[in-house]
Structure formats: structure tokens, C-alpha cells
Amino acid sequence: MSEKSKKSEKKFYDKFLKPAKVKHEKRKNEKLIEAKKENHSDKTSNKSAEKKFSKKNSTEKNTNAKNTNLSTVKFADSLFDFANVPIEAKRIVNNFDKILDGVTRLNSKQKAMLYHQIKMLSHTLTDSRDERRVGYMNQTTTITSYAYYYMWWNLVRLTRLFANLPASFFQLNDNDICLDIGSGPLTVVTALFLARPELRNKKLTFYCMDLSREVLAFGENVFLSVAARLECEPWKIVRVKGEMGTGLKEKASLITCANVFNESTEKYNLNEQDAVCEKYINSILSYADSAKAKILVVEPGVPKNGKLISSMRKSFIEKGFAPVSPCPHCEECVMTRKEINESKWCNFSFETDNAPDALLKLSEKAELNKTRAVLSFIAVEKNIETQSDESDAKKILSFRIVSDPIKLPGNRQGFYACSEIGLLLVVTAMHLYSGQKCECEITETNFRIDYKSKAKIINL
């Protein structure tokens, strides 16, 4: 190659190829730098995202604690175990409409109107509560509608509850006096007679108090029909027309109030709750045999009633009573503690799968379907202090489930529970039920805390 050709080639290289090569190398280096930056950014953002996800969705907030050391859980009892309802009680509740047919003697035309009347009564009890007359339960059509729907559903709830409360709570003797305040059609008395066979042969006197003579007379006829079906001698019923505060000559060993205070809760705000509860408690205790009285208050499981029950519990404890159920402790109610979200309240529920088919069909026709039965309640008795043995480092923790399953991150589930150490979040693969009481040994007392609810976390 001539000198001239070499110079020409070099000139071409310097002018075209060399700049292109430099430019290509520069781009290559820039891409490598960008790739490194992108890789570092991804790692950083992943860590940041994981941190945010953990903070937002994780239910566990570490408080320098180890996992709680728990032994195998023991199931102590359940509030709504259907298996504990006596067979004969199930049979009567399933066919309760037949008993009502015998008492009401409705003709076919009246039966056909029943669904509409139940729907209208529901409207009166809810939407038109302020316009309702005091003596609304004196009307025959109202009493009949109430019995076929509300009384029947209340029997479903109360027989399940009464059959699962501790037997010791219903230890009554012959000639004991009992009082049912706001008795209506004697729903509580009938449910108790059905659910506790050991009481059927006791010679008890039940004072049944209500503003309506008509509903009391109707309820007594229903109760006597149920006793006849069971081929048992009925308890002595004494009808008392009047509201809470009406005087009685005898003191009661057992006092019950079901669905009495829920109407009153509409008339006051939460700031007045403690004062209202004090008034209610004093009225109830004025009827009580101070030596051995047992008291049961049951209300619909809505927020205001749940908070009312918590306040009543506090007042009962201050007056020397101890909760028998549902509370597994005598400490401050976990739902009223400052650290707990105000949206929580004490209530228990069960599915209505085992409810009578005829009742479910009637509810559907009246457009008042129920898939769950919900209630709030407190059962108390005179407090008998016992000496506790604290020599063992291990401690039995009792807790009662107060929620349905809660979905947690990582395909886990949890349940809120009430205990003496506060609200718990029980994380478990087991299927637990609202109202179920569990016990387990604990050796660690330094718990992790649920980020959202502030509940203490235990893993089963």
C-alpha cells in the first residue's frame, strides 16, 4: 500500500470510524452505569416497599418481646354449643309455631296476614320507635305477631345460651323466688324451663313483671302449653303489672332481664351511661336476696347495648358481685380500656343454620331474614374471694373468643379474645367460634402487640 493510500485511510478512520467507536464505547459505558443504578434502586425500593407493607399490613408490632410460650390449648366451654341443648327442647323450639297455633287459634285468613303484620311490627319497633305508644303490646295482633317472630327467635338465642351457662349459676332450691323484669310473653321463663332440665322439678315461684297485662296472660298460656308438652309440673307464675321499680314483697334468688334496656338506650348519650347504669343496677338490686342473688342481663348485640353491658358489669363488680359469664376474669372490661379502639364492643354470635326451618321460611316471607343471632349479656353472682396459688411460675391464661375469623397477612387468620391481661389477638390455623372459652399455660408475659388494635398477640 502506497504512502498516499495509508494517509488517505488514516484520514478516513479519524474522520468517521474513530468518532463512531468512541461514541459506541461511551454509550456502552453509560448503559452499564444506568444498569448498576437501576439495580441498586430496585433493591432500595424493594426494601422500602417491604418496610411499608410490613408497617401497613402486618398485625405484629415488635416490643422487644419473644414469642409467647404457650402449652397446648384446652377448650373449656362454648356459649352456643348446640349439642348441649336438650333434645326435647330442640323438638319444642323447632315446632314452636304449633304451640302458638294452639294458643292463638288463628284462622287461615289471619295466618295469611301474619307475614305482613310481622313486617309492620318490625317497622314500629325500629323506624317508628319514637311514635310508638307505651301500651303497644296490649293489642292482640301485636302480641301474636311478636310471638311468631320475635319470641320464637329469642327462644332460639336464649335456649342456646342458657343450656351452655355454668350449671352452678342455676343452682336453685325448692321454694326459691325468681324475678323476670320486662317479661313480655315470658320468653326468658320458657327458655329457662326448656334449657335446664334440672330445674323443671324444682318448686320455683317466678314473678313476671311487665307493663302489659295482656302480654303476660298470653305468655303464661304459652309457658303452660310448653310445660304440658314436656309432661312437667309448671313453675308458679305471679304476674306483676308494672315497670322496674314496682314493689315486691319477697326477695329474689335469681333475677333476669332480657331485651329490657335496649329501648332505654335511645334516650341518653354515652356521656350519661354510667349514671344510667347506676340507676338500673340499684333498681335490680332492690329486688335481690343479698345473700345469694344471681343476676342475668341479656340485650341485642349492637354497639350501644354492648357498651351498656360493660358499664353494668363495672357497677356490679363495684357492688361486690363477680362475673360468671361470659367474662373469664374480674379485671377491667377489655372493651372499655383506653388503648382499645372505641369501635369494639362486647357481643357474641352464632350462625342460624340450626334454626327451625319454619322460622327461617317465615322470616324470609316477612323479609326479615336472619343468618346470625347476636347478643350481649352479663351473668353475675355474689363474689366469693378465693386464695390463688402463685408458687408455680407457669400461669393458666383463660380467654374467650369475641369475634369471627379475621384475615391476616401471609394467609393467616386470627380471632380477638377477652382475657384478664387485656384484649388478645389469637393467631391460629384452628377454627374457633365466637363465645368459645380456651385455656393454656403461659411462661412468657412479654407479648408482641397488634399494630392496628393494640391487642396482645398469642400464637396457637
Side-chain angles (χ1 to χ4, degrees):
M1 185 180 287
S2 65
E3 192 70 26
K4 189 176 179 180
S5 296
K6 287 181 180 179
K7 284 182 181 180
S8 177
E9 188 176 305
K10 187 176 182 303
K11 195 173 181 181
F12 179 82
Y13 174 82
D14 290 341
K15 187 175 180 180
F16 296 105
L17 296 182
K18 188 176 180 180
K21 188 176 180 180
V22 171
K23 193 173 182 181
H24 174 75
E25 289 294 329
K26 187 178 179 183
R27 281 184 181 175
K28 187 178 178 181
N29 289 336
E30 284 176 351
K31 284 183 179 181
L32 286 171
I33 291 168
E34 283 177 9
K36 285 180 181 180
K37 283 182 179 179
E38 205 170 74
N39 188 37
H40 177 72
S41 175
D42 284 346
K43 287 180 180 178
T44 305
S45 64
N46 283 341
K47 285 180 182 178
S48 176
E50 285 173 10
K51 191 174 180 182
K52 284 181 181 178
F53 178 83
S54 175
K55 186 175 181 182
K56 184 177 180 181
N57 297 307
S58 174
T59 63
E60 299 177 8
K61 182 181 178 183
N62 201 332
T63 56
N64 301 320
K66 298 178 182 178
N67 284 334
T68 310
N69 185 11
L70 299 174
S71 67
T72 305
V73 66
K74 172 187 172 185
F75 300 110
D77 64 57
S78 178
L79 293 178
F80 305 116
D81 188 349
F82 192 60
N84 289 335
V85 180
I87 294 173
E88 66 277 14
K90 291 177 183 176
R91 186 178 67 250
I92 286 178
V93 172
N94 280 338
N95 298 285
F96 188 64
D97 55 334
K98 303 296 188 296
I99 290 176
L100 291 177
D101 288 347
V103 174
T104 61
R105 301 189 181 279
L106 298 181
N107 58 39
S108 57
K109 186 178 179 181
Q110 290 170 324
K111 265 294 193 65
M113 289 292 294
L114 193 57
Y115 313 114
H116 174 70
Q117 288 169 350
I118 289 171
K119 193 174 180 180
M120 291 299 293
L121 177 60
S122 172
H123 176 68
T124 302
L125 294 175
T126 53
D127 304 332
S128 304
R129 187 184 289 264
D130 294 337
E131 301 169 14
R132 189 179 62 218
R133 294 185 298 107
V134 174
Y136 74 100
M137 283 297 278
N138 290 327
Q139 299 172 336
T140 303
T141 54
T142 303
I143 295 171
T144 302
S145 303
Y146 184 93
Y148 274 95
Y149 181 80
Y150 289 98
M151 184 181 184
W152 199 353
W153 270 118
N154 285 333
L155 283 179
V156 170
R157 291 186 187 94
L158 296 179
T159 50
R160 287 275 283 265
L161 176 63
F162 292 171
N164 286 284
L165 288 179
S168 59
F169 185 73
F170 294 114
Q171 282 182 352
L172 296 167
N173 301 316
D174 284 340
N175 303 315
D176 272 349
I177 303 299
C178 305
L179 169 64
D180 184 34
I181 300 172
S183 198
L186 278 66
T187 310
V188 169
V189 179
T190 304
L192 191 58
F193 200 79
L194 287 168
R196 305 304 306 199
E198 73 274 21
L199 293 180
R200 292 176 197 160
N201 294 325
K202 298 285 184 183
K203 295 178 180 178
L204 303 178
T205 298
F206 248 101
Y207 284 86
C208 298
M209 183 181 294
D210 199 275
L211 285 170
S212 170
R213 282 195 184 94
E214 287 78 5
V215 76
L216 288 173
F218 176 89
E220 185 173 5
N221 286 334
V222 172
F223 172 68
L224 293 175
S225 297
V226 168
R229 291 285 182 102
L230 292 171
E231 299 181 349
C232 294
E233 189 72 24
W235 298 325
K236 181 182 178 181
I237 302 298
V238 179
R239 288 180 262 159
V240 180
K241 183 187 182 302
E243 58 186 351
M244 187 168 62
T246 303
L248 293 182
K249 293 179 180 179
E250 300 180 277
K251 297 296 183 181
S253 301
L254 174 67
I255 301 173
T256 57
C257 314
N259 302 331
V260 173
F261 303 112
N262 61 310
E263 294 184 10
S264 304
T265 58
E266 302 294 326
K267 300 173 184 176
Y268 68 86
N269 56 51
L270 288 176
N271 295 329
E272 302 171 302
Q273 188 166 265
D274 288 342
V276 171
C277 281
E278 189 70 15
K279 179 184 175 183
Y280 290 159
I281 300 299
N282 288 335
S283 292
I284 292 171
L285 293 182
S286 69
Y287 297 114
D289 183 332
S290 57
K292 57 179 181 179
K294 297 174 182 180
I295 301 165
L296 174 64
V297 181
V298 185
E299 293 293 334
V302 297
K304 202 163 187 179
N305 291 335
K307 293 178 186 301
L308 174 71
I309 292 290
S310 293
S311 292
M312 293 182 83
R313 175 189 182 274
K314 177 186 174 185
S315 186
F316 275 127
I317 290 173
E318 289 172 350
K319 295 181 185 302
F321 287 81
V324 175
S325 186
C327 319
H329 62 89
C330 292
E331 304 300 323
E332 180 187 358
C333 176
V334 300
M335 299 301 179
T336 61
R337 298 185 186 184
K338 292 179 180 178
E339 68 271 17
I340 301 302
N341 192 316
E342 288 184 2
S343 65
K344 291 183 171 49
W345 73 96
C346 184
N347 69 99
F348 303 92
S349 64
F350 61 89
E351 302 294 326
T352 59
D353 300 345
N354 292 319
D357 290 337
L359 176 58
L360 293 172
K361 288 177 183 176
L362 181 145
S363 301
E364 186 178 355
K365 286 185 178 180
E367 298 178 2
L368 295 168
N369 304 50
K370 283 187 187 294
T371 57
R372 294 161 57 81
V374 188
L375 53 81
S376 297
F377 78 99
I378 183 70
V380 298
E381 65 183 3
K382 270 294 184 179
N383 189 15
I384 302 173
E385 294 185 7
T386 56
Q387 199 81 24
S388 60
D389 182 12
E390 298 180 357
S391 58
D392 194 342
K394 291 182 179 180
K395 183 179 179 182
I396 300 297
L397 177 66
S398 295
F399 56 90
R400 193 176 295 280
I401 303 301
V402 294
S403 77
D404 291 329
I406 303 161
K407 289 184 179 180
L408 302 175
N411 293 321
R412 298 177 304 157
Q413 70 168 0
F415 301 83
Y416 287 125
C418 167
S419 78
E420 66 176 329
I421 61 173
L423 187 67
L424 303 179
L425 178 60
V426 181
V427 181
T428 178
M430 294 184 286
H431 189 73
L432 304 178
Y433 298 92
S434 173
Q436 197 166 21
K437 183 181 176 183
C438 308
E439 294 176 348
C440 56
E441 286 184 353
I442 59 170
T443 54
E444 297 286 343
T445 56
N446 203 8
F447 295 87
R448 287 177 296 166
I449 304 298
D450 174 40
Y451 183 81
K452 183 178 179 182
S453 68
K454 311 305 180 195
K456 295 178 175 66
I457 298 172
I458 63 172
N459 294 281
L460 298 181

